[in-house]
Amino acid sequence: GQSLEQPSEVTAVEGAIVQINCTYQTSGFYGLSWYQQHDGGAPTFLSYNALDGLEETGRFSSFLSRSDSYGYLLLQELQMKDSASYFCAVRDQAGTALIFGKGTTLSVSS
Amino acid sequence: NAGVTQTPKFQVLKTGQSMTLQCAQDMNHNSMYWYRQDPGMGLRLIYYSASEGTTDKGEVPNGYNVSRLNKREFSLRLESAAPSQTSVYFCASSHRGASHEQYFGPGTRLTVT
């Protein structure tokens, strides 16, 4: 089956850089994606990695190493508004739905 | 475009009551999903519909039924609500089941007493 592990909480200060790790176990791999969810809100898609390497989208970057079954989300120049939960996700065995990790709560302080 | 809409936003039920959560999308997406979110448990898939006319069970389907009414609408029914079904329910859609980019609705906060 599929399983994902990510830290439950991360704290950082404004302007800093933070890395949120995700390790996964899957019977078939179709890529790793990341979602952001502000408290009480809907999850929103951030990024997707199908191949090894770094994908950059503004202040956010996502990395994948398929040989290590590992990826991370890198947030630079942290702002208070980045305080949220971040979820990694992989496709299920049938390849038709997403399985999410339990989420990492990021708290950014001034 | 409204994206994904869900009704109601909040609901309180007594144990044993039934209700249907409604979801609609206006993005012409083929695939739709129902998740529940509990503290510390992340998003868990209840049911999904890869395309109009098909539905499949997810990780936690017990106690729920779904209907893909048409391409736009995907409803979730609780036939006999239980306190364990107290949760936040999110509906989502994607262009196709193979897509990693899902669009989520605002959620329904359900309490069963």
Side-chain angles (χ1 to χ4, degrees), chain A residues 30-33 35 37 40-43 45 48 87 89-92 95-98 100-102, chain B residues 31 33 35 37 40-43 45 48 50 59 90 97-106 109:
Chain A
Y30 306 95
L32 184 72
S33 55
Y35 282 75
Q37 183 182 33
F45 173 80
Y48 168 62
F87 298 87
V90 294
R91 294 239 296 272
D92 66 356
T96 52
L98 289 180
F100 287 82
K102 294 183 178 180
Chain B
S31 302
Y33 314 85
Y35 295 91
Q37 186 173 36
M41 295 298 292
L43 292 152
L45 184 66
Y48 65 97
E59 182 185 356
F90 287 100
S99 172
H100 271 251
E101 186 170 3
Q102 294 186 3
Y103 295 79
F104 283 78
R109 281 141 188 84

Side-chain angles (χ1 to χ4, degrees), chain A residues 12-29:
Chain A
V13 297
E14 273 188 304
I17 299 172
V18 73
Q19 179 174 310
I20 299 174
N21 299 320
C22 175
T23 57
Y24 59 85
Q25 286 186 318
T26 63
S27 52
F29 184 69

Side-chain angles (χ1 to χ4, degrees), chain B residues 3-99:
Chain B
V4 180
T5 56
Q6 292 183 235
T7 54
K9 287 188 168 53
F10 300 92
Q11 184 70 50
V12 178
L13 291 177
K14 293 188 188 316
T15 297
Q17 288 185 317
S18 62
M19 80 162 295
T20 299
L21 282 64
Q22 306 286 355
C23 174
Q25 53 90 10
D26 63 1
M27 295 173 282
N28 201 34
H29 284 169
N30 292 305
S31 302
M32 298 185 73
Y33 314 85
W34 276 105
Y35 295 91
R36 61 177 289 174
Q37 186 173 36
D38 304 295
M41 295 298 292
L43 292 152
R44 292 186 292 169
L45 184 66
I46 305 171
Y47 270 94
Y48 65 97
S49 172
S51 61
E52 188 178 355
T54 69
T55 60
D56 287 285
K57 295 178 180 179
E59 182 185 356
V60 288
N62 291 347
Y64 306 95
N65 285 301
V66 290
S67 295
R68 183 74 184 266
L69 304 168
N70 47 54
K71 192 171 185 179
R72 290 187 65 247
E73 299 172 288
F74 189 38
S75 63
L76 179 72
R77 182 160 178 84
L78 286 72
E79 290 292 350
S80 179
S84 61
Q85 294 177 305
T86 293
S87 188
V88 180
Y89 291 85
F90 287 100
C91 177
S93 70
S94 65
H95 177 58
R96 53 192 177 93
S99 172

Side-chain angles (χ1 to χ4, degrees), chain A residues 40-63:
Chain A
T44 56
F45 173 80
L46 288 177
S47 68
Y48 168 62
N49 293 68
L51 302 174
D52 292 351
L54 192 68
E55 295 279 344
E56 298 182 61
T57 309
R59 294 187 297 114
F60 293 6
S61 303
S62 56
F63 172 82

Side-chain angles (χ1 to χ4, degrees), chain A residues 39-91:
Chain A
D39 194 31
T44 56
F45 173 80
L46 288 177
S47 68
Y48 168 62
N49 293 68
L51 302 174
D52 292 351
L54 192 68
E55 295 279 344
E56 298 182 61
T57 309
R59 294 187 297 114
F60 293 6
S61 303
S62 56
F63 172 82
L64 176 66
S65 169
R66 288 175 294 171
S67 61
D68 296 321
S69 298
Y70 164 74
Y72 65 72
L73 182 68
L74 190 74
L75 296 84
Q76 303 183 74
E77 300 172 19
L78 281 173
Q79 302 174 10
M80 297 291 284
K81 68 178 182 179
D82 297 328
S83 293
S85 292
Y86 294 85
F87 298 87
C88 56
V90 294
R91 294 239 296 272

